[in-house]
Amino acid sequence: MNFLRGVMGGPSAGPQPSGADTIQKLCDRVASSTLLDDRRDAVRALKSLSKKYRLEVGIQAMEHLIHVLQTDRSDSEIIGYALDTLYNVISNDLEEEEQEENSAKPVDDLGSQFTEIFIKQQENVTLLLTLVEEFDFHVRWPGVKLLTSLLKQQGPQVQQIILVSPMGVSRLMDLLADSREVIRNDGVLLLQQLTKSNAAIQKIVAFENAFERLLDIITEEGNSDGGIVVEDCLLLLQNLLKNNNSNQNFFKEGSYIQRMKPWFEVGDDNCGWSAQKVTNLHLMLQLVRVLVSPTNPPGATSSCQKAMFHCGLLQQLCTILMATGVPADILTETINTVSEVIRGCQTNQDYFASVNAPSNPPRPAIVVLLMSMVNERQPFVLRCAVLYCFQCFLYKNQKGQGEIVSTLLPSTIDATGNSVSAGQLLCGGLFSTDSLSNWCAAVALAHALQENATLKEQLLRVQLATSIGNPPVSLLQQCTNILSQGSKVQTRVGLLMLLCTWLSNCSIAVTHFLHNPANVPFLTGQIAENLGEEEQLVQGLCALLLGISIYYNDNSLENYRKEKLKQLIEKRIGRENFVEKLGFISKHELYSRAAQKPQPSFSSPDHMMFDHEFTKLVKELEGVISKAIYKSSEEDKKEEEVKKTLEQHDNIVTHYKKVIREQDQELEELKQRINTLTSQNEQLQATVTQQVSQIQQHKDQYNLLKVQLGKDTQHHNSHGDTLQMNGVQTEEVSKLKEELQEWKNKHELLQGQLKEKDSVIEKLSSSQLEMGATEQSLPNSKFDGLEPSDELQKELEMLRSQLQLQSAEISKLQMENQKLQVMNTTADPVFGDSGAPVATSSELEGQLEQEIKELKSQVKALSEENESLKQRLDSSSSTVAILQDEKSQLQRDLAESKKEQDDLLVLLADQDQRMSAMKIRLRNHGDPVEDEDDTESGDQGDEDDDGDEEEQD
């Protein structure tokens, strides 16, 4: 401890040692001391000297400090001191006083050199990753700061070491979940450095649930109202998403776009925005633009645009766009963001067209923005943003283009003048005295005509009133008039870009342009002159416009045919000179800048010369115009013939493409039908197979029942009776029972009548006896009573005859009853050992009725099953017939286009034959021929028995 007091500046009798000597002694103490307390004090002393003597400590102590990290991990205090010392040596974050004394370059080199020494052994970085995992604050926080400093100094090398380290990135992701905000916030800064320009690490961090954690932190900190932590999180999100299509898709699929909507909820009172809030909101808008950037793949951009519309994010941005009190830079960035959200997305473009500004009367947002664009008092960046928004609104939006152009046509102009339209604002800007307004309006109008030949023709109808008393002139003529008046270069460049876009691929517009006799001499004069460098750009555009007039010329004007115009160029300009002037455009520096990205970004208004879409047109036409200038008339004729031939071929090809497309559709439909019918056929085959198996099963059951019933019949008819009960049908058994019951009823009725007649006969007999006695006692009255006696005698005879008839009928009924009883006994006789009957007639009838009931139920069940099987078989047969018809139709349709279907057709034919054979077999097996023969034989036997009995009677 006395040694430490000396090196730390305590009282000493001898001369004071220098800083280098002190550092050397401390390093020796760290290396040689066996006591942990001594080593800890020495490292703490090195930490206090590391800022002032950074070079000396770094050179002498780095190896000892790394050794401490490896060996003394059990003591968090010494580890913390060692990490702090290394951080002071490697980091370039010096105090302001030291930054004033030291230049920036040596500092940067020093930190980079120490970092290179530290990471030369990859185990050092791996050791640092292990220490960062420690929960102890005094270890984890210095470790995070040291690792961040290493990434700042030697980012790619440290990234590669962490990437190959097992679970290296995952360990660092745990910092976002630390409950201590200082560690969590420094962890965000560490991940910022870790994810810079490394797509592999960006993907790992994203799939470690980084989006969820960062969005949670932003929400906890208050969204746009949060502090610098929100800014750091937004910068990390930009690192993860920018130019990383995989992470962008993961962000969209994870429904994280919906969580961005609350960021842009601003209140009505937009006064007094803090600088941090402006920064946060600016970064949030930039993050939205990262997801919908035109440089992203079109599919990914489109899906993000749709998601932003459906979750209401676009609506929220439009609300900020139309709000009051929003800072100018936020408003500008919001306009740029809305531009890219609607670019090329028809749904979003339609919504933006419906947005109205909160004014009285309400005006469309497009009109309000165009008013800012043509207003020279507005900031330059804001006017550029509005132009970009208008371009994005019209990009691949023919509906929007038509709406803009329609506001210029005579039939749609508001005659009352109560409201200003987009077309009127564009015309006003096109002919104003401000050259920037001229250029912006010309470019905006050119985008309204982009790739739309119909609107180019319609715009020729626009008439402008130049002054009172003068006739109106066309818009095309007015543009050429202003061009010939020698206005500013920026104005002329804008008008020439508009004219080139208007005339390209529109022969009618070329004819209208050439119809003015002053236009061609003006262009040739501009091209032929030897002007300064500033005018070379105008000369190149004039050459392009003249070349377009030649290339798209339909030779409808005799004085300005292609050949005459080329002769004019040859005489007044020269072909080589013309091509050279034409090449001035693509060689210009501003042309190269504009060709890089769609958004117009210029450092100053003077650099605003070219539009991105126009650079594409120049690239497309420069070569073909140069070739067209050198072609002769014969080559032009041949080219025209080739063009016509190509058009015819294109028409033929288009026709055949249409036919092939239709045939493909029909073929696809037929394939689907084949697949459907094949599946149906397979199902029907399976059904038929199942039915065949069921039929076979029922046949087996039926045959088994026949055998069982045959055995029972043989047992009951052991005395030679040939009657077989299995041949008796349900209807016959029912008929026999009904007839038996009917004869019983008749028998009972006749017995009752017989009893009544017997009583009448007895009464008549008694009355006859009384009459005989009367005749003997009263002979005198014989003739008086003769007539009544005769009448009684006749009545008696009649009653006797009736009695005889009834007796004969009763006898006949008794015989029939006996015959039925005999039939019953023969149907189910029960004999004893001696052959005499042992059962009564009632018992036999009961047994007979019971067996008849059982047979009826069995026969009925079999009949129902047989009928259901027949119906299902008939249905299958009809389905097979339908399949045969459809198969024949498909054979005729697909015989030429699908040879491979022959196998399927052969298979269907084989299946048809199998079905026919199967149907014949089922009919053969299902027709009960033996049963009908048995029934007929049984009926014949009954008739023979009846005949024998009648003969006996």
Side-chain angles (χ1 to χ4, degrees), residues 87 91-93 143-160 162-163 169 172-173 175-176 185-199 201-202 205 214 232-240:
Y87 172 75
S91 175
N92 290 326
D93 299 333
V144 171
K145 293 193 297 181
L146 177 57
L147 190 55
T148 305
S149 182
L150 293 174
L151 286 165
K152 287 181 180 180
Q153 302 297 333
Q154 297 288 341
Q157 292 85 344
V158 180
Q159 286 175 342
Q160 191 62 30
I162 294 175
L163 190 60
V169 178
L172 300 179
M173 284 299 301
L175 297 173
L176 296 180
N185 298 342
D186 283 348
V188 173
L189 297 176
L190 170 60
L191 291 173
Q192 278 185 26
Q193 300 297 326
L194 180 65
T195 55
K196 277 186 178 179
S197 304
N198 193 308
I201 294 179
Q202 290 169 2
V205 171
L214 291 173
D232 294 336
C233 291
L234 292 171
L235 290 173
L236 178 54
L237 285 173
Q238 284 192 17
N239 285 352
L240 296 175

Short mmCIF file of all heavy atoms in Angstrom, two decimals, residues 87 91-93 143-160 162-163 169 172-173 175-176 185-199 201-202 205 214 232-240:
data_model
loop_
_atom_site.label_atom_id
_atom_site.label_comp_id
_atom_site.label_asym_id
_atom_site.label_seq_id
_atom_site.Cartn_x
_atom_site.Cartn_y
_atom_site.Cartn_z
N TYR A 87 -11.31 0.15 -21.92
CA TYR A 87 -12.21 1.06 -22.63
C TYR A 87 -11.57 2.43 -22.81
O TYR A 87 -11.63 3.03 -23.89
CB TYR A 87 -13.54 1.18 -21.88
CG TYR A 87 -14.46 2.23 -22.45
CD1 TYR A 87 -15.16 2.02 -23.63
CD2 TYR A 87 -14.62 3.46 -21.80
CE1 TYR A 87 -15.99 2.99 -24.16
CE2 TYR A 87 -15.45 4.44 -22.32
CZ TYR A 87 -16.14 4.20 -23.51
OH TYR A 87 -16.95 5.17 -24.03
N SER A 91 -11.11 3.48 -26.60
CA SER A 91 -12.15 4.40 -27.04
C SER A 91 -11.56 5.75 -27.44
O SER A 91 -10.57 6.21 -26.87
CB SER A 91 -13.18 4.60 -25.92
OG SER A 91 -14.12 5.58 -26.29
N ASN A 92 -12.21 6.39 -28.39
CA ASN A 92 -11.83 7.73 -28.83
C ASN A 92 -12.72 8.82 -28.23
O ASN A 92 -12.68 9.97 -28.64
CB ASN A 92 -11.89 7.83 -30.35
CG ASN A 92 -10.78 7.03 -31.01
OD1 ASN A 92 -9.69 6.92 -30.47
ND2 ASN A 92 -11.08 6.45 -32.16
N ASP A 93 -13.60 8.43 -27.30
CA ASP A 93 -14.49 9.40 -26.67
C ASP A 93 -13.74 10.11 -25.55
O ASP A 93 -13.89 9.81 -24.36
CB ASP A 93 -15.73 8.68 -26.11
CG ASP A 93 -16.50 7.98 -27.21
OD1 ASP A 93 -16.42 8.44 -28.37
OD2 ASP A 93 -17.19 6.99 -26.90
N GLY A 143 -18.27 -4.03 -19.90
CA GLY A 143 -18.08 -4.94 -21.02
C GLY A 143 -18.85 -4.50 -22.25
O GLY A 143 -18.35 -4.59 -23.39
N VAL A 144 -20.07 -4.01 -22.05
CA VAL A 144 -20.88 -3.52 -23.18
C VAL A 144 -20.21 -2.32 -23.82
O VAL A 144 -20.11 -2.21 -25.06
CB VAL A 144 -22.30 -3.17 -22.69
CG1 VAL A 144 -23.08 -2.45 -23.79
CG2 VAL A 144 -23.04 -4.44 -22.27
N LYS A 145 -19.72 -1.39 -23.00
CA LYS A 145 -19.07 -0.19 -23.55
C LYS A 145 -17.79 -0.55 -24.31
O LYS A 145 -17.52 0.01 -25.38
CB LYS A 145 -18.77 0.79 -22.42
CG LYS A 145 -20.00 1.40 -21.78
CD LYS A 145 -19.65 2.58 -20.90
CE LYS A 145 -18.76 2.18 -19.73
NZ LYS A 145 -18.44 3.34 -18.87
N LEU A 146 -17.01 -1.49 -23.77
CA LEU A 146 -15.77 -1.89 -24.44
C LEU A 146 -16.06 -2.56 -25.78
O LEU A 146 -15.40 -2.27 -26.80
CB LEU A 146 -14.98 -2.82 -23.53
CG LEU A 146 -13.68 -3.40 -24.12
CD1 LEU A 146 -12.74 -2.27 -24.54
CD2 LEU A 146 -13.00 -4.33 -23.13
N LEU A 147 -17.05 -3.45 -25.81
CA LEU A 147 -17.39 -4.13 -27.06
C LEU A 147 -17.92 -3.15 -28.09
O LEU A 147 -17.62 -3.26 -29.30
CB LEU A 147 -18.42 -5.24 -26.77
CG LEU A 147 -18.72 -6.21 -27.91
CD1 LEU A 147 -17.44 -6.87 -28.41
CD2 LEU A 147 -19.72 -7.26 -27.46
N THR A 148 -18.69 -2.16 -27.66
CA THR A 148 -19.18 -1.13 -28.58
C THR A 148 -18.02 -0.35 -29.17
O THR A 148 -18.00 -0.04 -30.38
CB THR A 148 -20.13 -0.18 -27.84
OG1 THR A 148 -21.18 -0.92 -27.24
CG2 THR A 148 -20.73 0.84 -28.80
N SER A 149 -17.03 -0.01 -28.34
CA SER A 149 -15.87 0.72 -28.83
C SER A 149 -15.07 -0.11 -29.83
O SER A 149 -14.58 0.41 -30.85
CB SER A 149 -14.98 1.13 -27.66
OG SER A 149 -13.88 1.88 -28.10
N LEU A 150 -14.92 -1.41 -29.57
CA LEU A 150 -14.23 -2.28 -30.51
C LEU A 150 -14.94 -2.30 -31.87
O LEU A 150 -14.29 -2.27 -32.92
CB LEU A 150 -14.15 -3.70 -29.95
CG LEU A 150 -13.26 -3.92 -28.71
CD1 LEU A 150 -13.41 -5.35 -28.21
CD2 LEU A 150 -11.81 -3.61 -29.02
N LEU A 151 -16.28 -2.34 -31.85
CA LEU A 151 -17.03 -2.36 -33.10
C LEU A 151 -16.90 -1.04 -33.85
O LEU A 151 -16.88 -1.01 -35.08
CB LEU A 151 -18.51 -2.65 -32.81
CG LEU A 151 -18.84 -4.11 -32.44
CD1 LEU A 151 -20.22 -4.20 -31.83
CD2 LEU A 151 -18.73 -5.00 -33.67
N LYS A 152 -16.81 0.06 -33.12
CA LYS A 152 -16.63 1.36 -33.79
C LYS A 152 -15.28 1.42 -34.49
O LYS A 152 -15.17 1.99 -35.58
CB LYS A 152 -16.74 2.49 -32.76
CG LYS A 152 -18.16 2.76 -32.28
CD LYS A 152 -18.16 3.92 -31.28
CE LYS A 152 -19.56 4.22 -30.78
NZ LYS A 152 -19.57 5.35 -29.81
N GLN A 153 -14.24 0.85 -33.87
CA GLN A 153 -12.89 0.96 -34.41
C GLN A 153 -12.65 -0.03 -35.55
O GLN A 153 -12.12 0.34 -36.60
CB GLN A 153 -11.85 0.74 -33.29
CG GLN A 153 -11.97 1.69 -32.12
CD GLN A 153 -11.73 3.14 -32.53
OE1 GLN A 153 -11.03 3.41 -33.49
NE2 GLN A 153 -12.33 4.07 -31.78
N GLN A 154 -13.00 -1.28 -35.34
CA GLN A 154 -12.76 -2.34 -36.33
C GLN A 154 -14.05 -3.15 -36.51
O GLN A 154 -14.13 -4.32 -36.13
CB GLN A 154 -11.61 -3.24 -35.86
CG GLN A 154 -10.27 -2.57 -35.71
CD GLN A 154 -9.64 -2.25 -37.07
OE1 GLN A 154 -10.00 -2.81 -38.09
NE2 GLN A 154 -8.69 -1.31 -37.07
N GLY A 155 -15.06 -2.51 -37.08
CA GLY A 155 -16.37 -3.13 -37.16
C GLY A 155 -16.42 -4.46 -37.89
O GLY A 155 -16.83 -5.48 -37.33
N PRO A 156 -16.01 -4.53 -39.16
CA PRO A 156 -16.14 -5.79 -39.91
C PRO A 156 -15.40 -6.95 -39.26
O PRO A 156 -15.90 -8.08 -39.22
CB PRO A 156 -15.55 -5.44 -41.28
CG PRO A 156 -15.71 -3.96 -41.41
CD PRO A 156 -15.55 -3.42 -40.03
N GLN A 157 -14.18 -6.70 -38.74
CA GLN A 157 -13.41 -7.78 -38.14
C GLN A 157 -14.09 -8.30 -36.87
O GLN A 157 -14.21 -9.51 -36.66
CB GLN A 157 -11.99 -7.31 -37.80
CG GLN A 157 -11.12 -7.01 -39.01
CD GLN A 157 -11.33 -5.60 -39.54
OE1 GLN A 157 -12.32 -4.93 -39.21
NE2 GLN A 157 -10.41 -5.13 -40.37
N VAL A 158 -14.54 -7.38 -36.01
CA VAL A 158 -15.20 -7.80 -34.78
C VAL A 158 -16.53 -8.48 -35.09
O VAL A 158 -16.92 -9.47 -34.43
CB VAL A 158 -15.40 -6.59 -33.85
CG1 VAL A 158 -16.10 -7.01 -32.56
CG2 VAL A 158 -14.06 -5.94 -33.52
N GLN A 159 -17.26 -7.99 -36.09
CA GLN A 159 -18.51 -8.63 -36.49
C GLN A 159 -18.28 -10.08 -36.90
O GLN A 159 -19.05 -10.98 -36.52
CB GLN A 159 -19.15 -7.85 -37.65
CG GLN A 159 -19.80 -6.54 -37.26
CD GLN A 159 -20.29 -5.78 -38.48
OE1 GLN A 159 -19.89 -6.04 -39.60
NE2 GLN A 159 -21.17 -4.80 -38.24
N GLN A 160 -17.23 -10.32 -37.66
CA GLN A 160 -16.95 -11.68 -38.11
C GLN A 160 -16.61 -12.59 -36.94
O GLN A 160 -17.04 -13.76 -36.89
CB GLN A 160 -15.79 -11.66 -39.12
CG GLN A 160 -15.58 -12.97 -39.86
CD GLN A 160 -16.79 -13.38 -40.68
OE1 GLN A 160 -17.53 -12.53 -41.17
NE2 GLN A 160 -17.00 -14.68 -40.81
N ILE A 162 -17.64 -12.24 -33.80
CA ILE A 162 -18.89 -12.49 -33.05
C ILE A 162 -19.79 -13.45 -33.82
O ILE A 162 -20.48 -14.30 -33.24
CB ILE A 162 -19.60 -11.15 -32.78
CG1 ILE A 162 -18.76 -10.29 -31.84
CG2 ILE A 162 -20.98 -11.39 -32.18
CD1 ILE A 162 -19.33 -8.91 -31.61
N LEU A 163 -19.78 -13.33 -35.15
CA LEU A 163 -20.67 -14.17 -35.97
C LEU A 163 -20.30 -15.64 -35.87
O LEU A 163 -21.18 -16.51 -35.83
CB LEU A 163 -20.61 -13.70 -37.42
CG LEU A 163 -21.64 -14.30 -38.39
CD1 LEU A 163 -23.06 -14.00 -37.92
CD2 LEU A 163 -21.42 -13.76 -39.80
N VAL A 169 -24.29 -13.67 -31.05
CA VAL A 169 -25.31 -12.63 -31.23
C VAL A 169 -26.43 -12.81 -30.21
O VAL A 169 -26.97 -11.83 -29.67
CB VAL A 169 -25.85 -12.68 -32.67
CG1 VAL A 169 -26.94 -11.63 -32.87
CG2 VAL A 169 -24.72 -12.47 -33.67
N LEU A 172 -25.76 -11.16 -26.90
CA LEU A 172 -25.90 -9.71 -26.90
C LEU A 172 -27.38 -9.29 -26.96
O LEU A 172 -27.73 -8.21 -26.49
CB LEU A 172 -25.15 -9.11 -28.09
CG LEU A 172 -23.64 -9.41 -28.10
CD1 LEU A 172 -23.00 -8.80 -29.33
CD2 LEU A 172 -22.98 -8.86 -26.84
N MET A 173 -28.24 -10.13 -27.53
CA MET A 173 -29.66 -9.79 -27.59
C MET A 173 -30.29 -9.77 -26.20
O MET A 173 -31.29 -9.09 -25.98
CB MET A 173 -30.40 -10.80 -28.48
CG MET A 173 -30.18 -10.60 -29.97
SD MET A 173 -30.75 -8.98 -30.53
CE MET A 173 -32.47 -9.07 -30.08
N LEU A 175 -29.25 -8.25 -23.77
CA LEU A 175 -29.10 -6.92 -23.17
C LEU A 175 -30.40 -6.11 -23.27
O LEU A 175 -30.67 -5.27 -22.42
CB LEU A 175 -27.97 -6.17 -23.87
CG LEU A 175 -26.57 -6.79 -23.76
CD1 LEU A 175 -25.59 -6.04 -24.64
CD2 LEU A 175 -26.10 -6.76 -22.30
N LEU A 176 -31.20 -6.37 -24.33
CA LEU A 176 -32.45 -5.60 -24.48
C LEU A 176 -33.47 -5.95 -23.41
O LEU A 176 -34.40 -5.18 -23.18
CB LEU A 176 -33.04 -5.86 -25.87
CG LEU A 176 -32.21 -5.39 -27.07
CD1 LEU A 176 -32.94 -5.71 -28.37
CD2 LEU A 176 -31.93 -3.90 -26.99
N ASN A 185 -30.01 0.57 -22.66
CA ASN A 185 -29.78 1.63 -23.64
C ASN A 185 -28.42 1.49 -24.32
O ASN A 185 -28.30 1.68 -25.54
CB ASN A 185 -29.89 3.00 -22.97
CG ASN A 185 -31.27 3.23 -22.38
OD1 ASN A 185 -32.24 2.55 -22.75
ND2 ASN A 185 -31.39 4.18 -21.48
N ASP A 186 -27.37 1.16 -23.53
CA ASP A 186 -26.07 0.93 -24.13
C ASP A 186 -26.08 -0.34 -24.99
O ASP A 186 -25.31 -0.45 -25.96
CB ASP A 186 -25.00 0.83 -23.06
CG ASP A 186 -24.61 2.20 -22.51
OD1 ASP A 186 -25.00 3.20 -23.13
OD2 ASP A 186 -23.93 2.27 -21.47
N GLY A 187 -26.95 -1.30 -24.63
CA GLY A 187 -27.11 -2.49 -25.47
C GLY A 187 -27.68 -2.14 -26.84
O GLY A 187 -27.30 -2.74 -27.86
N VAL A 188 -28.59 -1.19 -26.89
CA VAL A 188 -29.12 -0.72 -28.17
C VAL A 188 -28.01 -0.11 -29.01
O VAL A 188 -27.90 -0.35 -30.23
CB VAL A 188 -30.27 0.28 -27.95
CG1 VAL A 188 -30.72 0.89 -29.27
CG2 VAL A 188 -31.44 -0.40 -27.25
N LEU A 189 -27.15 0.72 -28.36
CA LEU A 189 -26.02 1.32 -29.09
C LEU A 189 -25.05 0.25 -29.58
O LEU A 189 -24.51 0.35 -30.69
CB LEU A 189 -25.29 2.31 -28.18
CG LEU A 189 -26.10 3.52 -27.70
CD1 LEU A 189 -25.28 4.35 -26.73
CD2 LEU A 189 -26.54 4.37 -28.89
N LEU A 190 -24.84 -0.80 -28.76
CA LEU A 190 -23.96 -1.89 -29.18
C LEU A 190 -24.53 -2.60 -30.41
O LEU A 190 -23.81 -2.89 -31.38
CB LEU A 190 -23.80 -2.88 -28.02
CG LEU A 190 -23.11 -4.22 -28.33
CD1 LEU A 190 -21.71 -3.98 -28.86
CD2 LEU A 190 -23.08 -5.10 -27.10
N LEU A 191 -25.84 -2.89 -30.40
CA LEU A 191 -26.46 -3.57 -31.54
C LEU A 191 -26.47 -2.69 -32.78
O LEU A 191 -26.43 -3.20 -33.91
CB LEU A 191 -27.89 -3.99 -31.17
CG LEU A 191 -27.98 -5.11 -30.12
CD1 LEU A 191 -29.43 -5.33 -29.72
CD2 LEU A 191 -27.37 -6.40 -30.64
N GLN A 192 -26.52 -1.37 -32.60
CA GLN A 192 -26.40 -0.47 -33.75
C GLN A 192 -25.08 -0.70 -34.48
O GLN A 192 -25.04 -0.84 -35.70
CB GLN A 192 -26.49 0.98 -33.30
CG GLN A 192 -27.88 1.52 -33.07
CD GLN A 192 -27.87 2.99 -32.74
OE1 GLN A 192 -26.94 3.71 -33.12
NE2 GLN A 192 -28.88 3.46 -32.03
N GLN A 193 -23.99 -0.73 -33.71
CA GLN A 193 -22.68 -0.94 -34.31
C GLN A 193 -22.54 -2.36 -34.86
O GLN A 193 -21.90 -2.58 -35.89
CB GLN A 193 -21.58 -0.66 -33.28
CG GLN A 193 -21.57 0.74 -32.71
CD GLN A 193 -21.32 1.79 -33.78
OE1 GLN A 193 -20.57 1.56 -34.74
NE2 GLN A 193 -21.94 2.95 -33.63
N LEU A 194 -23.15 -3.31 -34.18
CA LEU A 194 -23.02 -4.71 -34.58
C LEU A 194 -23.72 -4.99 -35.91
O LEU A 194 -23.27 -5.82 -36.70
CB LEU A 194 -23.58 -5.62 -33.48
CG LEU A 194 -23.52 -7.12 -33.73
CD1 LEU A 194 -22.07 -7.59 -33.78
CD2 LEU A 194 -24.27 -7.88 -32.63
N THR A 195 -24.85 -4.32 -36.18
CA THR A 195 -25.66 -4.62 -37.36
C THR A 195 -25.33 -3.75 -38.57
O THR A 195 -25.99 -3.88 -39.60
CB THR A 195 -27.15 -4.43 -37.01
OG1 THR A 195 -27.36 -3.10 -36.49
CG2 THR A 195 -27.60 -5.44 -35.98
N LYS A 196 -24.34 -2.88 -38.45
CA LYS A 196 -24.02 -2.01 -39.58
C LYS A 196 -23.44 -2.82 -40.75
O LYS A 196 -22.44 -3.52 -40.60
CB LYS A 196 -23.00 -0.94 -39.16
CG LYS A 196 -23.63 0.27 -38.48
CD LYS A 196 -22.59 1.33 -38.22
CE LYS A 196 -23.23 2.58 -37.58
NZ LYS A 196 -22.21 3.63 -37.30
N SER A 197 -24.12 -2.75 -41.90
CA SER A 197 -23.61 -3.32 -43.15
C SER A 197 -23.28 -4.79 -43.05
O SER A 197 -22.33 -5.27 -43.69
CB SER A 197 -22.37 -2.54 -43.61
OG SER A 197 -22.65 -1.16 -43.73
N ASN A 198 -24.04 -5.55 -42.27
CA ASN A 198 -23.82 -6.99 -42.17
C ASN A 198 -25.19 -7.68 -42.20
O ASN A 198 -25.87 -7.76 -41.18
CB ASN A 198 -23.06 -7.34 -40.89
CG ASN A 198 -22.54 -8.76 -40.91
OD1 ASN A 198 -23.26 -9.71 -41.16
ND2 ASN A 198 -21.24 -8.91 -40.65
N ALA A 199 -25.55 -8.17 -43.38
CA ALA A 199 -26.88 -8.74 -43.55
C ALA A 199 -27.08 -10.01 -42.72
O ALA A 199 -28.18 -10.26 -42.21
CB ALA A 199 -27.13 -9.04 -45.03
N ILE A 201 -25.77 -10.83 -39.75
CA ILE A 201 -26.05 -10.48 -38.35
C ILE A 201 -27.42 -9.81 -38.24
O ILE A 201 -28.15 -10.03 -37.27
CB ILE A 201 -24.94 -9.57 -37.80
CG1 ILE A 201 -23.62 -10.34 -37.73
CG2 ILE A 201 -25.30 -9.02 -36.43
CD1 ILE A 201 -22.45 -9.53 -37.22
N GLN A 202 -27.78 -9.00 -39.23
CA GLN A 202 -29.10 -8.36 -39.21
C GLN A 202 -30.21 -9.41 -39.17
O GLN A 202 -31.20 -9.27 -38.43
CB GLN A 202 -29.26 -7.47 -40.43
CG GLN A 202 -28.37 -6.22 -40.41
CD GLN A 202 -28.35 -5.51 -41.74
OE1 GLN A 202 -29.02 -5.91 -42.69
NE2 GLN A 202 -27.58 -4.43 -41.83
N VAL A 205 -30.28 -11.09 -35.65
CA VAL A 205 -30.86 -10.18 -34.66
C VAL A 205 -32.38 -10.08 -34.85
O VAL A 205 -33.14 -10.08 -33.87
CB VAL A 205 -30.19 -8.80 -34.75
CG1 VAL A 205 -30.92 -7.78 -33.89
CG2 VAL A 205 -28.73 -8.88 -34.33
N LEU A 214 -37.76 -3.94 -29.53
CA LEU A 214 -37.52 -2.53 -29.82
C LEU A 214 -38.82 -1.74 -29.87
O LEU A 214 -38.90 -0.61 -29.37
CB LEU A 214 -36.78 -2.41 -31.15
CG LEU A 214 -35.32 -2.92 -31.14
CD1 LEU A 214 -34.75 -2.90 -32.54
CD2 LEU A 214 -34.46 -2.07 -30.21
N ASP A 232 -32.38 6.07 -30.64
CA ASP A 232 -31.45 4.95 -30.81
C ASP A 232 -32.16 3.69 -31.31
O ASP A 232 -31.64 2.97 -32.18
CB ASP A 232 -30.75 4.66 -29.48
CG ASP A 232 -29.85 5.80 -29.04
OD1 ASP A 232 -29.41 6.57 -29.92
OD2 ASP A 232 -29.60 5.94 -27.82
N CYS A 233 -33.35 3.43 -30.79
CA CYS A 233 -34.12 2.25 -31.24
C CYS A 233 -34.50 2.39 -32.71
O CYS A 233 -34.46 1.40 -33.48
CB CYS A 233 -35.36 2.07 -30.38
SG CYS A 233 -35.03 1.56 -28.68
N LEU A 234 -34.90 3.58 -33.12
CA LEU A 234 -35.27 3.80 -34.53
C LEU A 234 -34.06 3.64 -35.45
O LEU A 234 -34.18 3.08 -36.56
CB LEU A 234 -35.88 5.19 -34.69
CG LEU A 234 -37.25 5.39 -34.01
CD1 LEU A 234 -37.65 6.85 -34.05
CD2 LEU A 234 -38.31 4.54 -34.70
N LEU A 235 -32.90 4.10 -35.01
CA LEU A 235 -31.69 3.91 -35.82
C LEU A 235 -31.36 2.43 -35.96
O LEU A 235 -30.94 1.97 -37.03
CB LEU A 235 -30.52 4.67 -35.19
CG LEU A 235 -30.60 6.21 -35.27
CD1 LEU A 235 -29.48 6.83 -34.45
CD2 LEU A 235 -30.52 6.67 -36.72
N LEU A 236 -31.53 1.67 -34.88
CA LEU A 236 -31.30 0.22 -34.95
C LEU A 236 -32.29 -0.46 -35.88
O LEU A 236 -31.93 -1.35 -36.66
CB LEU A 236 -31.36 -0.37 -33.54
CG LEU A 236 -31.19 -1.89 -33.43
CD1 LEU A 236 -29.90 -2.34 -34.10
CD2 LEU A 236 -31.22 -2.33 -31.97
N LEU A 237 -33.55 -0.05 -35.82
CA LEU A 237 -34.56 -0.61 -36.73
C LEU A 237 -34.21 -0.31 -38.19
O LEU A 237 -34.40 -1.16 -39.07
CB LEU A 237 -35.94 -0.04 -36.39
CG LEU A 237 -36.62 -0.60 -35.14
CD1 LEU A 237 -37.89 0.18 -34.83
CD2 LEU A 237 -36.94 -2.08 -35.31
N GLN A 238 -33.71 0.89 -38.47
CA GLN A 238 -33.30 1.21 -39.83
C GLN A 238 -32.14 0.32 -40.27
O GLN A 238 -32.12 -0.15 -41.42
CB GLN A 238 -32.89 2.69 -39.92
CG GLN A 238 -34.05 3.66 -39.94
CD GLN A 238 -33.63 5.06 -40.32
OE1 GLN A 238 -32.56 5.26 -40.85
NE2 GLN A 238 -34.48 6.03 -40.02
N ASN A 239 -31.19 0.06 -39.38
CA ASN A 239 -30.10 -0.85 -39.73
C ASN A 239 -30.62 -2.23 -40.09
O ASN A 239 -30.12 -2.88 -41.01
CB ASN A 239 -29.11 -0.97 -38.56
CG ASN A 239 -28.23 0.26 -38.41
OD1 ASN A 239 -28.24 1.15 -39.26
ND2 ASN A 239 -27.49 0.33 -37.32
N LEU A 240 -31.62 -2.70 -39.34
CA LEU A 240 -32.13 -4.05 -39.57
C LEU A 240 -32.95 -4.16 -40.85
O LEU A 240 -32.99 -5.23 -41.46
CB LEU A 240 -32.99 -4.48 -38.37
CG LEU A 240 -32.28 -4.62 -37.02
CD1 LEU A 240 -33.28 -4.93 -35.92
CD2 LEU A 240 -31.20 -5.70 -37.09
#
